[in-house]
Amino acid sequence: MGDTKYIFVSGGVVSSLGKGIVSASLGKLLQARGYNVTIQKFDPYINIDPGTLNPYEHGECYVTVDGHEADLDLGHYERFLNIPTTRANNITTGRIYQTVIEKERKGDYLGKTVQVIPHITDEIKRNVKLLSKNKFDFVITEIGGTVGDIESLPFIESVRQLKWELGKNCICVHLTYVPYIAAAKEYKTKPTQHSVKQLQELGIQPDILVLRTERLLNRDLIRKVALFCNVSVESVVQSFDVPTIYEVPLVLQRQNMDAIVLKKMDMNPGPTPDMKKWKEFLKRKADATETVRIALVGKYVELQDAYKSINESLLQAAIYNDRKLDLHLIHSEKVNATNVDKLLSGMDGILVAPGFGQRGIEGKFATVRYARENDKPCFGVCLGMQCMVIEFARNVLGLEGANSTEMEHTPPYKVIDLMEDQKNIVNMGGSMRLGAYDCVIRKDSKAYEAYREEHIQERHRHRFEFNNEYRQQFEDAGMKCTGENPDTGLIEIVEIPALKWFLGTQYHPEYNSTVVKPNPLFVSFVKAAIENK
Ligand code: GLN
């Protein structure tokens, strides 16, 4: 292996252009050429990580195997590349400052004045290079935010320095937006020109431009952008709207983006990879004609990014079952015993979402009860699983008022309770049970049928757990604890084997479902939903 190569991806004009998808797609194309690739995200906000952020602020909080609460873009990186990310793959301004301030308090700066340049920028650069220790051929670093934001300036400055230090081993990709002005019936490149100017003012000349547009632009416009922005015509790549994000790698490949990257780094591109598996996946998606109707019941359904990994896992599972996913987002606050039948009877399967706090919880109980009493395939994830347990306690075991101590301080039956090691925690950030833990699966279970393995590892993000004092009562009445942590005895999976498919996981199976390796439980759940049709 030669030197690690660094690719920085910045964005201009507006946010939400899909820098994460472009980064993941480029990563995928390089990986398909046999390179060892990783992708990293820098977030310019002050929070140490997104773990304390409300989903309304920041969408889903993703969790890495090593228990880092991370930006949802890491989910895209994993789904596209099928490699795990870690804490080193997501850095915020807060974390950079925290480290620098800790060093200052220890006296590491030997009496120097601690400043943005060089101390903050050095810490940023150290974090970029940290990943190359793992012998990656390429480290792609996505810079969050939009060029011109005050917050991202230290990151951009670090990129400027790195570009200078690394020479040919470093390139910058800048993603901008080319809007269509309906009244003029024209696409406009001026915002792109300004955004590139802004980057140039900060000392960075982008090597490749990716233009986000709704439709394909004509060659004249591309030539104009190239001319005004100091890049060659072939280095202006378009990323127009496509029906699925999983087509983006192919869109970029058709424009030779990966080959252009390699040439810019003095590497020989060689033959273009055939992306066979990827294309097969897309073909299966395109060929599916019949649908499977899944309800996702949660309290953040109005927000498209809140359940990102669950949505993608369901989509992947549907494709692997040769079905189109017809996903119905149902607000848990709007579900009650009276309307539940109307809302859910037309569904083939129901997924009860994870979450925190009281809001919308009654709707989740009504949903779970409906699914259990009508034998509808039902999948409870984390809080969803806890709802399955509480509902069963109340309505089958007759434990009136049973609840989780998260919802009520002293319910008569604490069937879901705070984990022992959570009891003295005061700091909210990064203090849940986080990351991958072992789970041993009972062989006579739906979970085993799905995984075909007794020993699995799945990722967690919770403070409460199934209260083992009630285990026997649940088992006797037909809710089985089919997965358990071998070291702590914490219950990881519950099922009602008498029903077609009624299963809850304390862990989040959605975090490790990828395009080439969908999570087995999602595939099994969707299959059961189809059979239930
Ligand atoms: N609020 C629950 C807990 O902390 C469930 C968390 C979740 O759904 N991620 O245990």
Side-chain angles (χ1 to χ4, degrees):
M1 194 192 107
D3 299 337
T4 300
K5 315 276 175 189
Y6 298 87
I7 302 172
F8 291 95
V9 180
S10 58
V13 184
V14 287
S15 58
S16 302
L17 288 180
K19 275 193 307 258
I21 304 293
V22 167
S23 304
S25 300
L26 176 59
K28 181 78 225 168
L29 294 177
L30 293 169
Q31 187 191 50
R33 288 176 178 272
Y35 295 110
N36 205 356
V37 182
T38 191
I39 315 180
Q40 174 186 48
K41 171 94 190 267
F42 280 159
D43 279 308
Y45 53 74
I46 316 278
N47 305 62
I48 301 293
D49 59 49
T52 51
L53 287 172
N54 187 314
Y56 287 118
E57 292 281 316
H58 202 256
E60 166 187 281
C61 175
Y62 189 73
V63 179
T64 59
V65 273
D66 62 342
H68 180 63
E69 294 175 288
D71 186 76
L72 59 80
D73 273 326
L74 272 75
H76 293 309
Y77 308 160
E78 292 206 12
R79 287 188 284 274
F80 277 63
L81 299 189
N82 195 40
I83 51 159
T85 54
T86 65
R87 180 182 168 74
N89 293 71
N90 190 197
I91 319 283
T92 67
T93 293
R95 243 173 84 198
I96 297 289
Y97 272 81
Q98 190 183 40
T99 312
V100 170
I101 291 168
E102 275 166 12
K103 280 192 199 163
E104 186 275 335
R105 291 289 80 183
K106 277 197 263 163
D108 287 0
Y109 295 113
L110 305 174
K112 287 268 181 221
T113 308
V114 179
Q115 293 176 301
V116 173
I117 304 172
H119 302 101
I120 294 297
T121 47
D122 279 353
E123 178 58 18
I124 293 172
K125 282 161 37 182
R126 189 182 71 82
N127 275 284
V128 174
K129 291 184 175 167
L130 208 61
L131 276 172
S132 59
K133 288 214 177 91
N134 297 338
K135 308 262 177 292
F136 288 111
D137 301 309
F138 284 93
V139 174
I140 300 176
T141 303
E142 178 191 345
I143 314 282
T146 307
V147 167
D149 296 348
I150 291 176
E151 273 118 359
S152 57
L153 282 176
F155 291 108
I156 302 287
E157 166 59 15
S158 307
V159 175
R160 185 195 67 78
Q161 294 177 19
L162 281 169
K163 213 167 180 244
W164 179 247
E165 287 166 27
L166 294 163
K168 284 273 184 191
N169 288 336
C170 175
I171 61 162
C172 292
V173 175
H174 188 55
L175 180 64
T176 72
Y177 183 53
V178 178
Y180 181 73
I181 307 296
K185 295 200 176 59
E186 268 184 90
Y187 281 96
K188 292 293 182 188
T189 64
K190 193 76 82 188
T192 295
Q193 297 172 36
H194 283 301
S195 171
V196 171
K197 284 242 153 57
Q198 213 157 14
L199 207 50
Q200 289 165 340
E201 276 169 24
L202 298 170
I204 296 176
Q205 169 61 51
D207 299 279
I208 294 177
L209 291 178
V210 179
L211 309 183
R212 271 292 281 129
T213 63
E214 276 152 44
R215 302 234 191 90
L216 205 59
L217 303 173
N218 68 41
R219 293 312 290 171
D220 286 343
L221 272 185
I222 299 294
R223 271 193 284 271
K224 188 167 156 189
V225 170
L227 177 70
F228 278 100
C229 299
N230 288 352
V231 292
S232 60
V233 175
E234 62 156 20
S235 302
V236 183
V237 174
Q238 305 187 47
S239 175
F240 44 86
D241 287 353
V242 278
T244 162
I245 52 170
Y246 300 115
E247 265 180 44
V248 177
L250 302 181
V251 167
L252 301 183
Q253 192 189 43
R254 281 197 290 272
Q255 299 173 77
N256 296 319
M257 183 176 178
D258 51 336
I260 295 164
V261 165
L262 292 167
K263 277 191 217 150
K264 291 210 180 273
M265 295 181 137
D266 278 350
M267 296 166 86
N268 179 12
T272 306
D274 61 11
M275 301 284 287
K276 198 160 161 262
K277 270 198 145 177
W278 201 265
K279 285 182 183 158
E280 267 165 27
F281 172 80
L282 286 171
K283 182 170 180 336
R284 265 179 106 162
K285 181 175 187 298
D287 286 350
T289 49
E290 285 177 65
T291 57
V292 55
R293 295 182 98 183
I294 305 287
L296 169 61
V297 181
K299 66 173 167 179
Y300 297 114
V301 289
E302 67 275 41
L303 193 76
Q304 76 156 352
D305 280 348
Y307 302 113
K308 192 90 208 164
S309 295
I310 290 182
N311 295 350
E312 296 306 315
S313 303
L314 285 170
L315 176 76
Q316 291 156 2
I319 295 172
Y320 278 92
N321 278 291
D322 298 305
R323 287 294 188 285
K324 264 194 198 345
L325 176 66
D326 181 13
L327 186 64
H328 293 250
L329 303 170
I330 297 181
H331 204 304
S332 52
E333 274 186 296
K334 298 198 176 125
V335 185
N336 56 50
T338 326
N339 66 11
V340 65
D341 181 71
K342 193 163 162 264
L343 289 171
L344 298 175
S345 61
M347 301 293 154
D348 304 322
I350 303 164
L351 190 144
V352 185
F356 295 83
Q358 178 72 32
R359 186 167 68 88
I361 199 81
E362 290 303 326
K364 286 188 176 173
F365 292 146
T367 300
V368 169
R369 180 172 196 167
Y370 174 83
R372 183 178 56 75
E373 290 182 345
N374 294 279
D375 200 0
K376 274 255 182 229
C378 186
F379 193 177
V381 176
C382 207
L383 181 63
M385 171 268 199
Q386 297 176 355
C387 289
M388 286 175 156
V389 169
I390 296 165
E391 190 281 324
F392 194 86
R394 290 180 184 178
N395 302 320
V396 179
L397 302 182
L399 305 177
E400 206 179 313
N403 213 340
S404 160
T405 49
E406 178 181 10
M407 309 302 158
E408 202 182 321
H409 202 54
T410 44
Y413 305 99
K414 302 174 176 176
V415 290
I416 302 289
D417 201 3
L418 199 59
M419 283 179 281
E420 208 44 50
D421 53 8
Q422 288 285 325
K423 290 194 173 149
N424 297 318
I425 283 175
V426 278
N427 259 347
M428 285 296 132
S431 60
M432 283 188 244
R433 180 177 183 229
L434 291 166
Y437 283 92
D438 291 332
C439 171
V440 177
I441 301 179
R442 239 159 76 172
K443 276 199 146 173
D444 58 339
S445 65
K446 284 259 156 41
Y448 183 81
E449 257 176 54
Y451 284 102
R452 304 239 152 255
E453 264 177 289
E454 263 181 279
H455 297 267
I456 58 155
Q457 279 210 332
E458 290 276 8
R459 300 178 212 179
H460 294 251
R461 183 171 187 250
H462 63 117
R463 294 187 198 281
F464 296 81
E465 58 157 332
F466 179 90
N467 183 347
N468 262 319
E469 280 175 32
Y470 293 94
R471 181 174 182 165
Q472 200 54 52
Q473 248 177 296
F474 277 85
E475 295 258 353
D476 292 345
M479 183 177 266
K480 308 285 180 192
C481 301
T482 56
E484 130 175 32
N485 180 292
D487 307 312
T488 56
L490 290 179
I491 299 305
E492 305 285 24
I493 310 173
V494 297
E495 309 182 20
I496 302 181
L499 299 177
K500 283 180 205 142
W501 208 98
F502 191 94
L503 185 152
T505 58
Q506 185 57 79
Y507 56 80
H508 290 262
E510 71 273 22
Y511 290 142
N512 71 6
S513 193
T514 74
V515 166
V516 295
K517 200 165 171 285
N519 182 281
L521 276 187
F522 277 91
V523 177
S524 165
F525 164 63
V526 170
K527 184 165 175 277
I530 294 164
E531 282 162 7
N532 173 56
K533 242 181 184 324

